[in-house]
Amino acid sequence: MFYDHQQIEKKWQKYWEDNQTYKTSNNTGKPKFYVLDMFPYPSGAGLHVGHPLGYIASDIYARYKRHQGFNVLHPVGYDSFGLPAEQYAIQTGQHPAITTEQNITRYEEQLRKIGFSFDWSREVRTSDASYYKWTQWIFIELFHSWYNKDTDKAESILSLVKRFEEKGTEGLNANQNDELNFTAEEWNSASEMDKEDILLNYRLAYRAETTVNWCPALGTVLANDEVKDGKSERGGFPVFQKKMMQWSMRISAYSERLLQGLKALDWPQPLKDSQEYWIGKSQGAQVKFNVEGHDEIVEVFTTRPDTIFGATFMVLAPENPLVETITTAEQKVEVDTYIEETSKKTERDRMSDVKNVSGAFTGSYAINPFSGEKMPVYISDYVLMGYGTGAVMAVPAHDERDHRFAKKFNLEIKKVVETEEDVQEASFDSKDSVCVNSDFLNGLHYNDAKAKIISEIENKGIGHGTTNYRQRDAIFSRQRYWGEPVPVYYKDGMPYTLPTSALPLELPEVEKYLPTEDGDPPLGNAKTFAWDEENQKVVDTNLIDEKTVFPLELSTMPGWAGSSWYFLRYMDPENEEVFTNKELSDYWGQVDLYIGGSEHATGHLLYSRFWNMFLKDRGYINHNEPFQKLINQGMILGMSAFVYRIDGTNKYVSKNLAKDYTTQAIHVDVSLLKGTTDELDTEAFKTWRPDYADAEFILEDGKYITGREVEKMSKSKYNVVNPDDICEEYGADGLRLYEMFLGPLEQSKPWNTQGLSGVYGFLKKFWNLYFDGDIFSVSDEEPTKAEYKVLHTLIKKVVYDIENFSFNTSVSSFMIAVNELQKIKCNKRNILEPLAVIISPYAPHICEELWSMLGHNESIEFEKFPVLNEDYLVEDEIEYPVSVNGKMKFKIPLSAQLSAKEVEEMVLQDQKMVQILDGKTPKKIIVVPHRIVNIVI
């Protein structure tokens, strides 16, 4: 019977939509299972075949769990704020909302074609005001919270105010910017302005001067993970370090909890390692050094206070405020020049560049508090302001970077850890040796020396033992248009949040999407964007009088804001009263399975864990972590095609002749190849782009053969394969099976359209099991033991594969089972019905059609998954090969239930064996149960 995949797939996609098959109920007695894909950003290019890989895997698992009787939440939505739509708006004037809507329409069309079992009724978009109302609400909650280190959680700012009113900062153990000290009387007599200023020191969302990655071309601040090699990831524009007043999120308060929480998560180890490194916990001491001729003190954090006698110079971060104060007049030009150069590098670049050594001398000297020696103070880009104190005591004998720096600037290298190695030539870093040249530390091992020196530091009143974290607070403002407005207005320069009744604070219309002439962010172009405090509403900006009408914040939130809590909104997407009903968040709880790319390790995955912990602290949800199990899917790589242009000409030479010429390899669109071959359609190439219209070709055997190479699939490499084309030719079920068949989910693998024919052939074979010629023919006759064995072997394999996410081996098992059933001409209902259920998570359309033809009126989706019966896998009879003196003589079928002794007796009684023995007695008989019989005579 002809397998018409196009007609079948359209029919069932319409059925699912009309019947809301995948709509999830919150009112159910079933156990829950929450399956989620990482939030897609709807780009203008639409999907290529690499994008659905993770979605197909999560969809298979979601369908499998429904078959197992779980109430499955498998939603979809769009992370729809983003720079590309804004850049397009700047270039064309088209509002980003229009671009985004068009892109989403295209995405949704493609996703529906692949047959995903999403609950479309729960769709959310971060750029919808009904959604970002709650992102703004969470920001307000963060603003009105502080972190109490004693209770180890976030609490209402009102509890901090109450504490200040009663005892000031006495006994306060809070996460803060600066350590403040004041009495209850001083607090109570302070002005409102001063109180607000003090509270900003403790709020979890706060405004402060921060060093940021400033991209002038994009007119915005970028997060570290949005910058690569000193340039913006989007567009490749130069990025500079700059100090600006910015909103920040106090994620640093959660560093220890974020670190400890990783232990309970079922995540890939490399991803956990990335977060652990990013958080960067280290234990050591904070030590103060005096600067000769200055009142200023340089404070350093060191993990090796036991080496303080070997500290021979100091290095400050170029952006350390002390630099300006302690730099001498003679060194000012050199220092200023160096600071300017460093501003062109991001912190990430500075951390990763371990080979290049650079710096500048400030002209000042610090005094080593233990040796009393003068230590020249330098600045260098390898010291970061955001880690520790922005200053290091350099111990070149025992730190590789310090050693390279000392060699470059000809500074003293002093051994203080015992070693036979020459520390003048290379640093020696060990915690297994003892201290030398270190006065009272001499002879002590690392742990004893560290404890002793910390005790002495504390006795001298110059510091204390402490734990430090590399992780910095997350910058939360972006100077761009297309993002969530920050619900804040300014009174006397001090930030105040809007009342929650005024939310959402909607994005205003602007005439242009660039910063204003005064350098304000694009929202500065809005005509209606001021806050009337008296009437509690947004009004025209020309009404600002700083008495009752005040300016609103002009920055918008970063791209990660909306994606830091979207998994909670899916639980209750229509609720207008709360971001999610607590009963529902208690029911759905953690995401049980989260699938997405590893590139989000230190961005989205950290921020969402932080927001989740905060919401738990404040009593809005009950679970600690958002995502229990996480899988990083690999990439599907493209097969790029190249033509070879002879230098200085418009002539193109075929691949195997190119070695005879000096050529340049140029990417060419894979759609210009003939069919599935490597041959270029030269006429199509000439019409592809104007500069190729006059192209000439040097052919081999009358053909132009392109070069091929496996690369990342992307538009710029012209190697993108559109899933719509694959669905058209091979069907969505073919695409789904093939993407899984390519290899293990976590690995990257190359796409090859030719490989689809094998999977498509399998689908036709599977379809025809249910037909006799063109007639649907399924028998109610009881299956044979052999038929049941094929079915239950498959059940066992597929259950194991799905639960271990080995989807590729399941597809192989389907092919084997269908081949075996075809060979034995099986058409029994008791085999073919469960077979359809088993294959349906992978290929839902064809299985729905067969299920319907089998006489069922309901969707196959909620049919119970077939249960394994091991009895069918037990062999009734074993065919034993019988070897005599190492040579196989004959085979004998025997019951699988016989013991080794009984097998021996049956073999010896067999007529063939009687003839071979011819009255002799065997010297040795070896029976390997269910395998073989060996006889030595």
Side-chain angles (χ1 to χ4, degrees):
M1 175 69 174
F2 174 61
Y3 165 50
D4 186 350
H5 66 262
Q6 290 183 359
Q7 181 269 326
I8 290 169
E9 291 179 358
K10 280 175 189 156
K11 169 185 169 181
W12 287 102
Q13 285 166 16
K14 184 175 187 309
Y15 173 91
W16 296 329
E17 189 171 353
D18 291 348
N19 291 275
Q20 297 280 287
T21 304
Y22 307 119
K23 186 166 183 174
T24 307
S25 168
N26 291 322
N27 304 312
T28 171
K30 291 180 179 180
K32 71 92 186 184
F33 200 89
Y34 189 174
V35 181
L36 188 60
D37 303 289
M38 284 191 189
F39 226 6
Y41 172 74
S43 72
L47 295 171
H48 61 60
V49 292
H51 291 125
L53 178 69
Y55 300 159
I56 294 169
S58 65
D59 197 58
I60 289 168
Y61 207 82
R63 290 175 181 275
Y64 171 67
K65 294 309 264 186
R66 287 193 198 100
H67 285 307
Q68 285 193 314
F70 284 85
N71 186 31
V72 175
L73 178 56
H74 187 39
V76 69
Y78 302 96
D79 193 6
S80 47
F81 277 130
L83 268 175
E86 179 151 353
Q87 287 301 103
Y88 190 70
I90 291 167
Q91 291 158 12
T92 65
Q94 178 167 289
H95 196 290
I98 296 169
T99 311
T100 301
E101 182 62 42
Q102 290 169 349
N103 293 351
I104 287 175
T105 301
R106 171 88 183 105
Y107 251 62
E108 190 159 316
E109 198 178 274
Q110 289 185 291
L111 290 170
R112 285 187 184 272
K113 268 187 186 168
I114 302 172
F116 294 119
S117 63
F118 293 132
D119 180 352
W120 292 96
S121 71
R122 292 176 184 252
E123 181 190 307
V124 299
R125 302 176 183 187
T126 55
S127 57
D128 281 356
S130 62
Y131 180 89
Y132 68 68
K133 165 186 178 176
W134 297 108
T135 310
Q136 291 171 338
W137 178 85
I138 295 170
F139 172 88
I140 289 172
E141 288 296 305
L142 283 153
F143 182 84
H144 292 292
S145 299
W146 67 292
Y147 200 89
N148 186 341
K149 287 186 177 180
D150 287 333
T151 58
D152 200 22
K153 67 175 191 175
E155 296 177 6
S156 166
I157 203 80
L158 295 176
S159 68
L160 183 62
V161 170
K162 188 168 186 294
R163 185 179 186 129
F164 287 162
E165 287 170 349
E166 292 172 359
K167 47 186 174 182
T169 55
E170 184 191 336
L172 180 67
N173 192 11
N175 195 281
Q176 57 204 351
N177 298 343
D178 301 307
E179 194 168 333
L180 305 180
N181 290 292
F182 52 83
T183 64
E185 291 74 25
E186 287 171 321
W187 170 265
N188 292 325
S189 62
S191 67
E192 185 193 340
M193 285 287 294
D194 286 343
K195 286 178 178 177
E196 286 299 323
D197 196 28
I198 289 167
L199 290 175
L200 276 178
N201 192 56
Y202 302 96
R203 296 184 187 276
L204 293 189
Y206 64 93
R207 199 164 177 264
E209 189 176 62
T210 319
T211 302
V212 297
N213 301 315
W214 172 249
C215 180
L218 294 175
T220 190
V221 168
L222 298 175
N224 281 337
D225 54 338
E226 295 174 313
V227 182
K228 296 275 185 297
D229 304 320
K231 294 194 166 90
S232 62
E233 193 174 35
R234 176 67 57 187
F237 301 112
V239 175
F240 301 91
Q241 299 280 289
K242 179 178 174 182
K243 287 202 166 184
M244 293 176 73
M245 285 299 286
Q246 290 288 321
W247 283 100
S248 290
M249 286 280 165
R250 206 179 294 280
I251 190 174
S252 60
Y254 285 82
S255 291
E256 186 63 26
R257 283 170 64 185
L258 289 167
L259 204 54
Q260 296 307 320
L262 289 171
K263 294 174 183 173
L265 299 179
D266 185 2
W267 287 16
Q269 194 56 45
L271 199 153
K272 287 185 176 186
D273 292 344
S274 292
Q275 288 207 356
E276 199 170 309
Y277 178 77
W278 184 267
I279 293 165
K281 182 180 181 178
S282 51
Q283 290 173 307
Q286 205 102 339
V287 191
K288 294 172 182 170
F289 290 72
N290 290 320
V291 181
E292 188 179 56
H294 291 272
D295 295 332
E296 278 73 23
I297 288 169
V298 179
E299 195 165 3
V300 305
F301 169 76
T302 174
T303 57
R304 293 296 304 269
D306 56 304
T307 64
I308 197 164
F309 284 93
T312 56
F313 61 96
M314 297 199 79
V315 187
L316 306 186
E319 55 274 68
N320 192 315
L322 283 172
V323 174
E324 192 178 345
T325 314
I326 67 170
T327 299
T328 61
E330 297 81 3
Q331 293 300 116
K332 186 163 172 47
V333 173
E334 185 186 339
V335 166
D336 288 350
T337 304
Y338 187 80
I339 290 170
E340 173 66 24
E341 284 302 308
T342 304
S343 75
K344 296 171 187 172
K345 299 180 183 178
T346 67
E347 282 202 357
R348 189 168 275 190
D349 293 337
R350 286 160 62 179
M351 285 164 72
S352 59
D353 183 7
V354 293
K355 290 181 182 171
N356 296 312
V357 178
S358 64
F361 179 41
T362 64
S364 287
Y365 293 83
I367 307 299
N368 188 312
F370 287 95
S371 70
E373 292 174 4
K374 288 168 65 171
M375 305 162 62
V377 181
Y378 282 75
I379 62 169
S380 177
D381 61 9
Y382 80 87
V383 181
L384 305 174
M385 195 61 216
Y387 179 63
T389 61
V392 300
M393 62 171 216
V395 185
H398 307 292
D399 180 274
E400 192 182 345
R401 268 197 162 179
D402 293 347
H403 193 278
R404 281 202 300 270
F405 196 91
K407 292 299 271 187
K408 169 142 186 161
F409 292 98
N410 199 25
L411 299 165
E412 184 187 1
I413 299 172
K414 182 179 175 184
K415 177 170 77 172
V416 290
V417 177
E418 184 54 63
T419 175
E420 293 300 312
E421 293 180 26
D422 184 358
V423 295
Q424 301 303 317
E425 295 305 315
S427 65
F428 172 75
D429 182 15
S430 170
K431 293 179 181 175
D432 297 324
S433 193
V434 296
C435 294
V436 293
N437 302 322
S438 298
D439 196 357
F440 56 86
L441 297 181
N442 286 341
L444 294 180
H445 282 276
Y446 169 70
N447 286 329
D448 294 337
K450 190 171 181 179
K452 175 89 171 156
I453 194 70
I454 289 173
S455 173
E456 287 299 316
I457 287 166
E458 290 172 351
N459 288 341
K460 275 177 172 272
I462 58 167
H464 53 89
T466 187
T467 300
N468 210 8
Y469 299 90
R470 185 186 296 112
Q471 175 171 249
R472 294 176 56 184
D473 285 341
I475 293 167
F476 198 70
S477 349
R478 297 289 185 271
Q479 287 63 46
R480 64 183 195 217
Y481 174 75
W482 190 233
E484 299 91 340
V486 178
V488 161
Y489 67 98
Y490 291 91
K491 190 170 14 171
D492 298 324
M494 198 56 64
Y496 292 82
T497 56
L498 267 57
T500 54
S501 58
L503 302 181
L505 172 61
E506 295 198 36
L507 262 179
E509 293 295 322
V510 293
E511 285 180 11
K512 55 181 182 176
Y513 303 101
L514 290 165
T516 67
E517 289 174 7
D518 298 335
D520 282 334
L523 291 186
N525 295 310
K527 292 185 169 59
T528 308
F529 204 60
W531 181 248
D532 183 338
E533 194 177 50
E534 206 167 75
N535 297 302
Q536 303 272 286
K537 64 178 185 178
V538 176
V539 296
D540 285 357
T541 49
N542 58 16
L543 295 176
I544 293 172
D545 59 9
E546 299 287 354
K547 292 173 187 169
T548 59
V549 179
F550 301 95
L552 284 158
E553 171 63 63
L554 299 180
S555 295
T556 51
M557 297 187 194
W560 55 264
S563 62
S564 293
W565 72 281
Y566 77 110
F567 45 91
L568 295 167
R569 188 61 177 168
Y570 283 138
M571 299 173 183
D572 197 9
E574 304 294 327
N575 199 321
E576 294 178 10
E577 304 303 317
V578 287
F579 73 97
T580 189
N581 180 295
K582 191 153 187 300
E583 283 183 17
L584 292 179
S585 66
D586 285 351
Y587 171 64
W588 289 112
Q590 286 179 298
V591 174
D592 297 287
L593 175 63
Y594 197 37
I595 297 184
S598 58
E599 66 274 16
H600 299 292
T602 55
H604 158 66
L605 288 172
L606 263 180
Y607 300 139
S608 49
R609 291 181 66 213
F610 159 42
W611 277 29
N612 192 97
M613 287 177 182
F614 166 73
L615 292 167
K616 163 94 165 37
D617 286 353
R618 294 304 313 273
Y620 296 115
I621 58 175
N622 268 340
H623 50 282
N624 278 311
E625 292 279 352
F627 318 116
Q628 180 51 38
K629 180 169 181 67
L630 188 147
I631 294 176
N632 293 138
Q633 85 274 12
M635 279 196 295
I636 287 185
L637 304 168
M639 181 67 84
S640 301
F642 297 87
V643 292
Y644 301 92
R645 181 169 62 197
I646 299 172
D647 282 2
T649 73
N650 204 17
K651 276 188 178 174
Y652 298 84
V653 58
S654 189
K655 173 190 168 185
N656 297 311
L657 305 175
K659 61 183 182 297
D660 301 328
Y661 301 86
T662 304
T663 62
Q664 178 190 6
I666 298 168
H667 280 96
V668 62
D669 199 308
V670 291
S671 66
L672 301 176
L673 304 187
K674 292 185 176 179
T676 54
T677 70
D678 296 342
E679 184 187 350
L680 180 72
D681 183 333
T682 51
E683 288 308 307
F685 175 74
K686 288 164 83 171
T687 60
W688 181 41
R689 293 208 326 232
D691 43 331
Y692 299 142
D694 302 324
E696 297 175 42
F697 302 94
I698 300 173
L699 309 177
E700 49 183 299
D701 300 326
K703 296 176 180 178
Y704 189 100
I705 305 302
T706 58
R708 304 303 297 271
E709 191 176 312
V710 173
E711 298 183 289
K712 181 180 177 181
M713 196 174 279
S714 77
K715 274 197 309 180
S716 63
K717 300 184 190 301
Y718 303 108
N719 60 2
V720 165
V721 177
N722 188 332
D724 297 2
D725 300 337
I726 303 300
C727 289
E728 183 75 17
E729 190 170 349
Y730 299 99
D733 288 339
L735 173 69
R736 291 167 65 104
L737 283 166
Y738 182 60
E739 294 221 358
M740 293 299 97
F741 188 53
L742 278 172
L745 179 61
E746 297 90 343
Q747 291 180 13
S748 293
K749 44 254 171 188
W751 177 268
N752 180 358
T753 302
Q754 290 165 279
L756 273 150
S757 55
V759 165
Y760 191 64
F762 156 73
L763 284 169
K764 289 194 284 188
K765 212 179 259 189
F766 170 50
W767 173 256
N768 279 303
L769 275 181
Y770 297 75
F771 291 87
D772 183 359
D774 286 343
I775 299 160
F776 185 78
S777 174
V778 175
S779 160
D780 288 328
E781 188 185 333
E782 180 63 16
T784 63
K785 179 87 191 303
E787 289 168 333
Y788 273 128
K789 185 184 175 187
V790 172
L791 175 68
H792 285 269
T793 300
L794 182 63
I795 293 169
K796 185 172 185 175
K797 182 78 174 84
V798 171
V799 168
Y800 177 84
D801 285 347
I802 294 180
E803 291 183 352
N804 288 277
F805 306 95
S806 301
F807 302 113
N808 55 316
T809 50
S810 283
V811 181
S812 307
S813 301
F814 296 156
M815 293 173 173
I816 293 165
V818 166
N819 280 340
E820 288 181 355
L821 291 172
Q822 188 187 44
K823 270 185 205 162
I824 55 180
K825 295 187 166 53
C826 174
N827 71 337
K828 314 284 174 55
R829 179 178 292 275
N830 285 356
I831 300 297
L832 298 186
E833 275 197 350
L835 181 66
V837 176
I838 295 165
I839 294 177
S840 69
Y842 292 76
H845 306 86
I846 190 172
C847 293
E848 285 277 27
E849 181 68 8
L850 291 168
W851 191 250
S852 169
M853 295 174 89
L854 285 161
H856 301 282
N857 296 321
E858 298 295 317
S859 166
I860 197 172
E861 189 65 18
F862 301 99
E863 189 64 22
K864 194 169 184 300
F865 202 82
V867 178
L868 172 65
N869 184 340
E870 293 272 7
D871 291 348
Y872 290 118
L873 306 184
V874 176
E875 298 284 355
D876 287 340
E877 198 173 74
I878 306 291
E879 193 169 46
Y880 279 94
V882 178
S883 292
V884 178
N885 292 341
K887 289 187 180 178
M888 207 275 283
K889 294 294 185 181
F890 63 93
K891 291 180 180 177
I892 180 171
L894 297 171
S895 168
Q897 313 308 317
L898 294 179
S899 67
K901 187 68 184 163
E902 289 170 324
V903 168
E904 182 184 316
E905 288 168 3
M906 297 291 285
V907 168
L908 291 175
Q909 289 167 20
D910 187 86
Q911 195 55 44
K912 292 182 188 136
M913 195 69 236
V914 170
Q915 287 176 358
I916 292 168
L917 286 173
D918 192 24
K920 297 173 192 152
T921 303
K923 291 178 184 172
K924 198 174 190 181
I925 302 173
I926 302 163
V927 176
V928 181
H930 296 183
R931 296 288 300 280
I932 194 168
V933 178
N934 278 310
I935 296 177
V936 179
I937 56 175

